[in-house]
Each structure stands twice: as structure tokens, then as C-alpha cells.
Amino acid sequence: MHELAIAESLLEIVLEEGLRHNLRTVEVIRLQVGALAAVVPEALTFSFEMVSQNTIASGAVLEIETLPVVARCSACEVNFEVENQVFLCARCGQPTLELISGRELSLVNLEGETRDDDGGN
Amino acid sequence: MAEIKVPVVRNILQANERLAAANRKRFDEAGIFVFNLMSSPGAGKTSLLEKTVDGLADRIKMAVIEGDLQCSFDAERIQRKGVQAVQINTDGGCHLDGNMIQIALESLNLNDLDLLIIENVGNLVCPAEFNLGEHEKVMILSVTEGDDKPSKYPLMFQLTSVLLVNKVDLLPHIDCDVAKIRERARQINARQQVFEISCRTGQGLPAWFSWVEQKVKEKKQN
């Protein structure tokens, strides 16, 4: 259940950004999570619901986009999607060591309401 | 009041990454080699450490940071060997993080060391996501866990530079094909070095000791 630790880090960043952008509430939190990241979206959502109680992000919806695992073959100079955890070039069969995507654990954007004193912007 | 959309684009684990980088800087300034040892519970992490202390302590000055859910049995096992061991109890937490290591470092004088080994909490999933500042990640898979494990825990196999296949003395009694482990591991991470060992009989350990010694030597030269 390291999703709890990840949820805590996420909340910290969301609250920081909320303060910076003068948000009264945060309603949507969009994340990108690579398929290779050891994160279960349901566990992250559940953990975030717990840690965000009584904050501006309480009740926010986590929209999690899963990114495929893409590797690059340096010999063929092609990118290919890794399936079934086989990191071998689809064209030449050589093992690849270069990962293009799949390990992301990123906050992409937030949606929320600004405070009244924001001048209505 | 207005609805707004704020673009952010930040790594969620950036706080841990910063701490790991700070730890790494301290390791590099002291010129010591640090590896993060990970495996499932019971694969033989502490046994490997005991053997590694026996094999190398006469020429390498080492210390161990022991991560455990509870209790300090593991640290005591290492201390009995005359090596400094700092215990971190995660109180149920499933992995170590950069902050826990930073705190543990307060009890160690890095300038007195050549090698620091961090024994992570027994778990093949969670510890993979958290860098601690280590130079290398090392994993143990014991043959009793089965030869299908590389495909089930791809991130752990992707990130570790060494795979120690432990308990090979049990191979005659179980259905586990080390060739399959090697093949699946190679498909995930062709860079990974594999050592077949038995902490009980000592088989294969000299090659592992040489790897550690070589890494320690490289750090000292830098």
C-alpha cells in the first residue's frame, strides 16, 4: 500500500498549487501514470479520498490516464510498445535499455474554483 | 469565484526525489558505495548481509541500514557480527523512503565507511518506486518463489542492476527452472547481472563479493 505515501505527496503538491492559484476548491485532478509504475489506480483514488478529507481537495475526482510502456531500439532507431513485459525490439529482437514512457507518475492539471477575492477572474 | 483549469505538470514523488538526491550527494562526498537491497519477505536479505559481512568485513569498512516493519531482530543479527547497523522501523509502512534514510544517516559517520548497505522492507512492489539515493539497486529472488516472478514484478526487475538467485541448493527438491528466470529477466532488463547463490552452502558467493568489492573500489577512485 505505498499508494498511501503517493497520495500524501500528491495532496501536498495539490495544496501548494491551490494556494498559488488561489483555489477555494479543487474538483478535478488529472494524473498520468505509466503502466510500469507500481501503482494501482483504485488504491491511489481510495488513499487520496482518505488523506484529502477536510482540505480544499476533499471530494476531488482523480482522473488517471495510464500511459503505455514504450521503449526505443537504438539499433533500429524505432520506438515500440512493450507487451507482456518483453523489452525486446519488435523488429530485430535485441534487448533494449531505453525507456521512452511507462514510468510516469505525474500531476498534469487541476480544475477548481477560485476564491471570491480573486476579483472574479 | 470562477472555474479555472491550472496546468501543473509535476512529478508526484518529487519531494522524495529531492531527498534521495541530497542523500546521494552525501554518499558521493564521502566516496562510499551504497546499494539498496530488495526482495520479498524470506528471500534471504539478512542472510546475504551476514555472509557479505563475513566475506568482506576484513577489508571493507561497512555499515547497514535495516528497514523493517517492526522489531529489530535483523539489526541485532548484523550487530552480532561487529558491524554497525541502524534500524528503521516503518511501523507497517511497506517501503523505505529518502527521508527515513536521511534520518538514519544521523547515526552514521560516512567518512569512516567504504560501503553502506540499505536493506529495504521485504516487498517486491512498493520499494521499487522510491529512490533512496543509492548507487545501485540489488534484488534477491529465491528459487522457492517460482520462476514466473520476473513477469509479475517487472518494475523491480527493470530497475535492479543485480539479481541474486538465492537458495539454489534447494533446486533438486522443487520445480523451479533457473534458465526460465534468467530468460524472463533478460527480456525485461538485459543490463541486469545474475548471480546464482546459496547463502546456506556459500555457493556462488565469491562472485557476488567480487562485484561489491569492485564497486567499492570504483567509488574510492572517483
Side-chain angles (χ1 to χ4, degrees):
Chain A
M1 266 302 285
H2 62 307
E3 281 85 357
L4 185 58
I6 294 172
E8 283 167 348
S9 300
L10 174 62
L11 180 66
E12 212 170 288
I13 296 175
V14 168
L15 296 182
E16 217 178 277
E17 294 292 335
L19 211 57
R20 176 179 304 167
H21 297 281
N22 204 26
L23 297 182
R24 188 174 65 88
T25 60
V26 175
E27 274 136 35
V28 183
I29 300 170
R30 285 194 186 81
L31 309 175
Q32 284 183 336
V33 176
L36 196 60
V39 173
V40 179
E42 291 77 11
L44 182 57
T45 302
F46 174 74
S47 301
F48 191 79
E49 269 173 31
M50 256 177 14
V51 299
S52 65
Q53 279 174 21
N54 303 317
T55 73
I56 58 163
S58 170
V61 176
L62 251 57
E63 285 186 11
I64 302 174
E65 180 191 2
T66 304
L67 299 183
V69 183
V70 176
R72 178 170 182 79
C73 174
S74 51
C76 301
E77 295 187 336
V78 290
N79 295 352
F80 62 95
E81 190 170 331
V82 173
E83 281 167 28
N84 300 318
Q85 321 298 349
V86 177
F87 290 75
L88 303 179
C89 173
R91 190 185 289 180
C92 71
Q94 283 305 302
T96 175
L97 303 172
E98 195 186 340
L99 204 60
I100 301 294
S101 81
R103 282 214 58 204
E104 293 79 1
L105 207 49
S106 316
L107 172 60
V108 181
N109 64 48
L110 298 174
E111 272 178 37
E113 277 184 8
T114 55
R115 292 183 191 280
D116 288 335
D117 58 4
D118 197 34
N121 290 323
Chain B
M1 203 183 336
E3 282 280 336
I4 63 163
K5 188 167 164 179
V6 182
V8 182
V9 193
R10 285 170 67 171
N11 175 2
I12 297 170
L13 291 181
Q14 63 183 13
N16 185 63
E17 291 298 324
R18 269 199 296 268
L19 289 162
N23 291 342
R24 168 71 84 97
K25 192 161 172 273
R26 292 183 60 184
F27 300 150
D28 286 342
E29 279 167 2
I32 64 170
F33 174 57
V34 182
F35 70 86
N36 176 3
L37 181 63
M38 296 174 282
S39 80
S40 52
K45 289 184 298 300
T46 310
S47 296
L48 180 82
L49 292 189
E50 287 176 313
K51 293 290 174 185
T52 305
V53 169
D54 288 344
L56 293 172
D58 61 335
R59 48 197 190 280
I60 289 178
K61 286 175 286 178
M62 60 176 99
V64 174
I65 295 177
E66 283 281 351
D68 230 322
L69 297 171
Q70 253 142 44
C71 85
S72 56
F73 295 155
D74 288 357
E76 287 160 15
R77 275 172 68 181
I78 299 300
Q79 280 161 351
R80 275 200 287 275
K81 299 263 174 201
V83 164
Q84 204 179 351
V86 182
Q87 179 78 36
I88 301 176
N89 279 339
T90 60
D91 288 330
C94 52
H95 61 274
L96 295 180
D97 63 29
N99 185 45
M100 297 177 197
I101 299 303
Q102 193 170 68
I103 293 166
L105 290 181
E106 286 170 16
S107 327
L108 292 171
N109 183 356
L110 298 183
N111 292 319
D112 281 348
L113 297 175
D114 305 315
L115 171 67
L116 174 63
I117 305 173
I118 303 170
E119 180 181 336
N120 219 310
V121 179
N123 182 330
L124 280 179
V125 182
C126 315
E129 283 290 359
F130 295 83
N131 286 325
L132 309 176
E134 72 276 35
H135 298 105
E136 303 283 357
K137 295 184 201 292
V138 172
M139 70 174 292
I140 306 177
L141 179 71
S142 58
V143 294
T144 50
E145 294 167 68
D147 48 33
D148 56 345
K149 289 300 169 287
S151 318
K152 290 193 176 175
Y153 303 97
L155 185 62
M156 184 60 78
F157 282 81
Q158 252 273 318
L159 297 177
T160 44
S161 43
V162 170
L163 165 62
L164 296 152
V165 180
N166 190 23
K167 307 187 189 178
V168 291
D169 54 308
L170 295 178
L171 281 172
H173 312 290
I174 55 171
D175 294 322
C176 173
D177 185 350
V178 175
K180 268 191 199 153
I181 295 178
R182 283 181 175 271
E183 177 54 22
R184 294 299 286 134
R186 194 189 76 94
Q187 288 175 347
I188 296 170
N189 180 1
R191 190 166 17 193
Q192 196 180 46
Q193 254 180 287
V194 183
F195 298 97
E196 292 177 27
I197 62 166
S198 164
C199 288
R200 200 171 71 86
T201 67
Q203 182 188 336
L205 288 175
W208 157 248
F209 297 157
S210 303
W211 183 87
V212 175
E213 236 182 325
Q214 182 58 34
K215 289 286 176 186
V216 168
K217 205 189 282 177
E218 285 168 17
K219 285 290 159 208
K220 272 190 168 173
Q221 281 162 356
N222 286 339

